[in-house]
């Protein structure tokens, strides 16, 4: 067994103890290996996986153009091991040089590993995004004040306006970036789907569309990227929930989600998941009230050179 295999096996046990919903600890993706040692000589490692995104790719609207993701292999060494690999990561960034403003350094780690939380904060990382999960239960529909229905092709402009309201709001309080291509990209991502399936839902009040839920049923298999974060199976996914600014706080989001959750349940999903930004004062309250809780936290600092 190599040091890496031993660390990964220990990390698997650690993750299983931390949170029963986590899948087996994933092996690092291809990238540059970083080695570090604790004062007592214990060896730890990490891989720096680099992701480059460009206009047209969905993540262009919520991530830096260049992301250096540290994928730690720290086994059961906890805060000490995480501190060692983050120090080594800082030195690695110094060596590769400053890559400019549109860059990020990230670590995606189980939210419940609170010993490491202190270490991430001390290295200047922010808990910018969480992957949150919810059990696949049905909900009793609340009293309806809006008509919730699948979006039609004729709703395209209203859907794009709501999607852009979400991008603009999330750019103030989280990971999103209002790129020049944002509106065109959001339009392209929904245009072909409206009226074709029941993934995009709108809430209508007095004939006016005031809310949007863009969702999907995701088959999470061993070869899909989501298998790094979620147990294998069929998952309900919420990509975007948005209510027009003047209509928020009146139960419309809740009514949309009651329909969406019951729709997911009809597909025999194993759970529901989504991403939200902890600094978002609306979604960070709304989603836990809807039954979601953090599974993974994406710790992030932009630009990458700001890592401490
Ligand atoms: C997050 C967001 C979609 C929530 O939608 P919303 O319609 O404002 O949410 P709701 O009104 O359904 O829920 C908010 C609270 O208001 C309550 N509420 C207020 N007036 C109400 C009424 N007349 N009837 C029912 N509920 C009411 C809801 O019960 C809920 O409280 P609870 O969770 O304690 O039950 C919306 O605030 C939004 O668009 N935010 C900006 C974009 C964003 O952050 N999107 C999410 C990104 S992950």
């Amino acid at each position: 067994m190599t040091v890496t295999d031993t660390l990964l096996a220990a990390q698997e046990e650690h993750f299983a103890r931390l949170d029963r919903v986590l899948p087996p600890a994933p092996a690092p993706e291809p990238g540059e290996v970083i080695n570090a040692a604790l004062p007592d000589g214990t060896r730890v490692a990490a891989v720096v996986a680099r992701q480059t995104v460009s206009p047209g790719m969905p993540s262009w609207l919520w991530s830096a153009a260049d992301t250096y993701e540290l994928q730690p292999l720290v086994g059961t060494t906890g805060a000490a091991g995480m501190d060692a690999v983050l120090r080594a990561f800082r030195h690695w960034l110094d060596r590769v040089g400053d890559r400019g403003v549109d860059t990020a350094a990230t670590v995606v780690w189980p939210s419940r590993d609170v010993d490491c939380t202190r270490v991430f904060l001390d290295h200047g990382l922010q808990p910018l995004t969480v992957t949150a999960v919810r059990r696949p239960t049905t909900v009793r529909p609340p009293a309806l004040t809006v008509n919730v229905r699948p979006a039609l092709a004729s709703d395209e402009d209203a859907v794009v306006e709501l999607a852009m309201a979400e991008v603009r709001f999330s750019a103030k309080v989280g990971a999103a970036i209002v790129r020049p291509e944002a509106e065109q990209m959001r339009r392209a991502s929904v245009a072909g789907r409206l009226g074709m399936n029941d993934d995009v839902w709108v809430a209508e009040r007095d004939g006016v569309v005031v809310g949007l839920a863009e969702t999907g049923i995701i088959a999470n298999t061993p070869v899909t990227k989501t298998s790094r974060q979620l147990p294998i199976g069929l998952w309900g996914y919420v990509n975007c929930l948005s209510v027009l600014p003047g209509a928020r706080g009146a139960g419309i989001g809740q009514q949309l989600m009651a329909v969406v959750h019951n729709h997911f349940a009809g597909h025999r999903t194993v759970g529901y998941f989504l991403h939200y930004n902890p600094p978002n004062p609306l979604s960070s309250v709304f989603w836990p009230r809807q039954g979601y809780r953090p599974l993974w936290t994406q710790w992030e600092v932009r630009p990458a050179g700001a890592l401490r």
Side-chain angles (χ1 to χ4, degrees):
M1 242 190 179
T2 64
V3 175
T4 307
D5 291 340
T6 311
L7 285 166
L8 186 59
Q11 196 149 290
E12 263 184 38
E13 282 173 33
H14 178 56
F15 280 17
R17 273 197 302 273
L18 273 178
D19 190 333
R20 278 186 300 152
V21 180
L22 291 170
E29 292 175 298
E32 202 170 317
V33 178
I34 285 182
N35 291 296
L38 273 60
D40 67 359
T42 307
R43 288 171 67 187
V44 287
V47 168
V48 182
R50 184 176 171 196
Q51 288 129 30
T52 305
V53 293
S54 50
M57 294 165 78
S59 51
W60 183 239
L61 301 188
W62 66 78
S63 61
D66 266 310
T67 298
Y68 300 94
E69 183 188 337
L70 187 79
Q71 301 188 347
L73 277 169
V74 293
T76 52
T77 58
M82 192 60 80
D83 182 52
V85 291
L86 279 166
R87 282 169 193 270
F89 187 27
R90 176 64 262 177
H91 293 312
W92 184 89
L93 286 165
D94 288 339
R95 250 196 352 267
V96 300
D98 194 349
R99 300 297 178 112
V101 280
D102 203 354
T103 58
T106 66
V107 185
V108 181
W109 200 248
S111 305
R112 291 187 175 174
D113 198 350
V114 295
D115 288 340
C116 289
T117 293
R118 180 74 262 158
V119 181
F120 295 135
L121 291 169
D122 289 347
H123 279 274
L125 289 155
Q126 299 163 344
L128 202 52
T129 306
V130 294
T131 302
V133 290
R134 179 196 190 280
R135 282 179 216 276
T137 52
T138 52
V139 291
R140 200 152 49 91
L144 293 182
T145 60
V146 287
N147 175 31
V148 177
R149 58 169 176 79
L152 301 170
S154 53
D155 296 317
E156 186 178 307
D157 287 343
V159 165
V160 173
E161 185 190 345
L162 279 153
M164 283 306 296
E166 191 272 331
V167 172
R168 281 191 290 268
F169 193 84
S170 296
K172 287 185 195 163
V173 296
I177 303 170
V178 188
R179 307 272 192 192
E181 303 81 5
E183 185 164 337
Q184 183 197 338
M185 282 179 58
R186 291 304 275 126
R187 187 174 292 279
S189 76
V190 292
R193 293 153 68 199
L194 304 182
M196 307 295 284
N197 58 30
D198 43 17
D199 282 355
V200 186
W201 299 82
V202 290
E204 199 178 36
R205 191 173 61 188
D206 303 328
V208 178
V209 170
V210 291
L212 163 73
E214 189 189 358
T215 72
I217 304 284
I218 308 257
N220 184 37
T221 72
V223 294
T224 47
K225 178 107 179 156
T226 39
S227 66
R228 297 182 65 78
Q229 292 203 340
L230 298 170
I232 299 307
L234 209 56
W235 286 79
Y237 170 58
V238 185
N239 181 48
C240 170
L241 183 72
S242 179
V243 171
L244 284 183
R248 289 175 193 158
I252 295 170
Q254 198 186 34
Q255 292 171 58
L256 268 164
M257 287 317 300
V259 171
V260 168
H261 284 149
N262 290 340
H263 173 73
F264 288 163
H267 282 80
R268 298 184 169 279
T269 45
V270 296
Y272 314 150
F273 80 103
L274 48 81
H275 301 99
Y276 73 82
N277 301 131
N280 181 332
L282 303 180
S283 67
S284 63
V285 177
F286 182 82
W287 290 122
R289 295 280 295 165
Q290 288 288 317
Y292 289 81
R293 59 92 170 170
L295 182 67
W296 295 88
T297 301
Q298 177 156 336
W299 294 89
E300 182 157 350
V301 59
R302 297 177 189 171
L307 185 83
R308 287 206 292 266

